[in-house]
Amino acid sequence: MGVFKNIFTWWEGATFGTALNTMRNGRKVGEDDQGNLYYEGKKAQAGLTRRWVIYKGQNDSSRVPPEWHSWLHHMIDAVPDQALPSPRTWEREPTPNLTGTGEAYRPAGALEKGGRRAAATGDYEAWTPGA
């Protein structure tokens, strides 16, 4: 199933076509702490080179750290290890998008939290038909 999975699916890593294009037209410039690989095109188009990421595991853009996001979108020219200062002591690690998981944000009154909302205050008047 491995070969067919790489040909036809895109949600768990690079497809066969992306891997082939990366080998022919890209050069590896770095890797982040999560194992994602970053590439840059060999030719410039309109003054900019194409940049892309090959995810290790599921394709989820929230797994790209902020420093590599700035490199991907041409906000900085050099690789983040060379262009950015070391992280500040007060900075937190970035968190992935938790939507669809058990740790996702659930507001008060959500069905996953029991479905109980706070009682309505006196400024709310319910609509009734024919009233």
Side-chain angles (χ1 to χ4, degrees), residues 60-125:
D60 182 6
S61 61
S62 70
R63 292 182 56 231
V64 174
E67 60 272 10
W68 280 103
H69 178 271
S70 61
W71 178 82
L72 283 170
H73 293 277
H74 295 276
M75 294 177 192
I76 58 175
D77 291 328
V79 179
D81 299 340
Q82 302 164 359
L84 299 176
S86 58
R88 309 272 198 253
T89 57
W90 45 264
E91 288 183 42
R92 290 185 182 177
E93 287 292 317
T95 57
N97 184 355
L98 300 175
T99 303
T101 68
E103 291 85 33
Y105 171 72
R106 308 277 190 232
L111 294 176
E112 293 86 357
K113 283 189 130 183
R116 300 225 189 284
R117 291 187 343 182
T121 60
D123 62 345
Y124 175 77
E125 186 178 321

Side-chain angles (χ1 to χ4, degrees), residues 7-8 25 30 33 40 54-55 58 68 74 120-121 125:
I7 293 173
F8 296 111
N25 301 322
D33 296 337
E40 187 168 34
I54 303 289
Y55 297 99
Q58 286 220 300
W68 280 103
H74 295 276
T121 60
E125 186 178 321

